[in-house]
Amino acid sequence: MSGTPDAPRQMVNAGGIAAARALLDRQKAAAQRGSSAEERIGRLSRCIGILSGHAEELCAAMADDFGWRSKDASMLTDIVSAIGPLKHARSHVRGWMRPEKRGVELALSVLGARAEVRFQPKGVVGVISPWNFPVFLCFAPLAGILAAGNRAMVKPSELTPRTSDLLARLIRVNFDQEELAVVLGGQDVAAAFAALPFDHLVFTGGEHAARKVMAAAAENLTPLTLELGGKSPVIVSRSADMVVAAARVVAGKMLNAGQICLAPDYVLAPRDKLEAFVGAARLAVAAQYPKIKDNPDYSAIIDQRHLDRLLNMIADARGKGARVIELNPGREDFSQQQYRKMPPTLVLDVTEDMALMQEEIFGPILPIRTYEHIGEAIDFVNARPAPLALYYFGEETAEMERVLTLTASGGVTINDVIYHLAQNDLPFGGVGRSGMGRYQGRDGFLEFSNRRAVYRQVRSELIARLRPPYGAALRDMLRDRLKD
């Protein structure tokens, strides 16, 4: 097995899409040799080794890319959270690889026929990973990709150049390029990367970019896994503990300054509980972030363009009559600062024509709408594209089941937010415009496997009745099959 430090390797750099195509051809040829359980376990172990052995470097690179990003949060969300699915895959890969027996028709079974499903690697999988969790969203899909025996090429985001460069270097040192490689470059390289004839392609990002990725992949009929985010709602029931609910929503919303695909995007709260929820949110922010500008736990917005977009959302809402509540416990001045930090902001009395209700926010802004009865909240969610996640806070089982039954989303966390992603045995992905396909755990192994049907025919020539010339025996059997 290659991957030793002295093996010859060459990183594919920006503008090197021709080299990337040549590398893809090499990986496809290598994939035809197959991969044993030992090889797959070795690759997963090397990924774990990269993360555990270089955690501090990776967290420092992410902090540099953001300008200011909590190293503790990065350790939690990007390093440890990526190691989890890799370890889970490593411990289960032998079992996942075993052929799965399937049933056959009774008469054929009696005669000795057998059926099974075998799990073959698809070949080479491309991964286009985003900037918001640049390490986690590189390695989390690789757990299923490598466990399924595939080779992989990763295109990380150009918005986190230090992290992307470091990932490329670490992967280059630990993997032969025919196993796993990194392609660096900007949007032009990403577009060309999506057009390569991969055997499967994973994209994490926004809906607008996903349409372009799908169009490029369609030229090669490349199957896709898309994780696209969307406006994930929080439904707060009258039965919820408002203090607990607000603290957990705030924690999820302010993680990475709201720059997370699973962040609560808006809250639906009972009208008579609105002020209680707002008051509890104030207390939660003060407890979690008593100061913000120089708080090492509070991340910056990734760049000025994204900060301007968020500020414009607030201005648009205020101009259309919304009540804007800036949660700034330290009464800090954000007009001049070294980093692009933005205080948590609640927006009340929102209307559907406001920009923050039209697009995914991806920042520390939380609109809150009210409802009179739970059916109104369900109707509001269902009038919009199905989100990546839905969150419900409450203790009424019947109401919770009604929400689960009558709404659609990629995943659900009850009485908290985001935590369903942290369960390695649950599938992760979207539905409709929030994405397609699933990865994580066995579902990821299946996503990146060719589930090959294998049937073993009986020796007996009693099956000859199914061949011409057709006769009475066949007709009797067909008449029997037509019976209810």
Side-chain angles (χ1 to χ4, degrees), residues 55-392:
E56 294 291 340
E57 290 177 72
L58 289 163
C59 289
M62 287 183 276
D64 286 344
D65 281 328
F66 274 76
W68 190 303
R69 191 182 200 239
S70 168
K71 291 185 179 180
D72 290 328
S74 291
M75 191 69 73
L76 170 66
T77 61
D78 274 87
I79 307 301
V80 173
S81 292
I83 288 175
L86 290 163
K87 285 185 174 180
H88 182 79
R90 185 176 64 179
S91 65
H92 289 86
V93 65
R94 292 183 188 278
W96 293 344
M97 290 174 66
R98 294 191 190 106
E100 183 179 290
K101 291 183 179 180
R102 295 293 180 91
V104 298
E105 292 199 22
L106 179 61
L108 292 170
S109 175
V110 170
L111 293 171
R114 296 291 181 265
E116 66 182 20
V117 175
R118 295 196 172 198
F119 304 101
Q120 288 187 319
K122 285 191 170 181
V124 181
V125 181
V127 178
I128 302 177
S129 58
W131 55 264
N132 58 325
F133 292 98
V135 176
F136 173 76
L137 290 170
C138 167
F139 282 97
L142 287 176
I145 292 168
L146 298 178
N150 298 287
R151 313 298 172 116
M153 294 169 59
V154 179
K155 165 62 182 76
S157 175
E158 68 278 6
L159 292 182
T160 49
R162 296 171 183 83
T163 307
S164 296
D165 287 346
L166 180 55
L167 285 172
R169 178 169 61 83
L170 294 173
I171 288 173
R172 185 171 73 249
V173 167
N174 287 276
F175 285 88
D176 188 283
Q177 281 214 309
E178 291 184 357
E179 297 175 295
L180 175 61
V182 174
V183 175
L184 296 176
Q187 293 184 5
D188 56 336
V189 173
F193 186 90
L196 292 173
F198 291 108
D199 299 298
H200 197 104
L201 182 63
V202 180
F203 171 78
T204 302
E207 182 181 333
H208 176 71
R211 293 179 187 276
K212 295 181 179 179
V213 169
M214 287 190 76
E219 293 297 317
N220 297 302
L221 296 179
T222 301
L224 291 166
T225 300
L226 301 177
E227 192 270 277
L228 306 181
K231 297 187 72 62
S232 296
V234 179
I235 297 178
V236 179
S237 169
R238 283 186 172 83
S239 63
D241 183 319
M242 292 297 153
V243 173
V244 172
R248 295 179 180 183
V249 170
V250 163
K253 183 63 174 180
M254 304 315 159
L255 180 67
N256 204 32
Q259 298 164 111
I260 174 173
C261 57
L262 287 169
D265 201 88
Y266 63 93
V267 171
L268 297 169
R271 185 164 288 116
D272 57 335
K273 299 286 187 178
L274 173 62
E275 294 306 324
F277 183 86
V278 170
R282 285 183 185 274
L283 293 175
V285 170
Q288 296 174 35
Y289 303 104
K291 63 177 183 177
I292 294 171
K293 281 178 67 173
D294 297 321
N295 189 331
D297 294 332
Y298 196 85
S299 297
I301 304 302
I302 185 66
D303 61 20
Q304 190 62 42
R305 180 175 66 88
H306 283 276
L307 178 60
D308 290 342
R309 179 182 61 84
L310 294 168
L311 294 175
N312 288 337
M313 278 187 174
I314 293 175
D316 171 76
R318 184 180 279 114
K320 292 174 179 174
R323 179 157 54 112
V324 177
I325 303 174
E326 185 179 279
L327 302 180
N328 183 1
R331 300 182 181 276
E332 296 168 287
D333 180 6
F334 288 86
S335 61
Q336 293 186 2
Q337 55 173 313
Q338 184 178 358
Y339 305 104
R340 297 168 302 279
K341 290 201 172 184
M342 179 180 180
T345 304
L346 305 181
V347 185
L348 281 56
D349 303 324
V350 295
T351 54
E352 294 185 45
D353 62 334
M354 295 175 183
L356 51 72
M357 293 305 295
Q358 296 291 317
E359 59 187 85
E360 187 176 6
I361 293 170
F362 228 67
I365 306 170
L366 186 64
I368 304 176
R369 286 181 61 97
T370 59
Y371 67 87
E372 289 291 347
H373 54 83
I374 195 66
E376 185 182 343
I378 291 170
D379 289 345
F380 188 87
V381 171
N382 287 340
R384 283 144 191 82
L388 183 61
L390 182 144
Y391 305 119
Y392 172 84

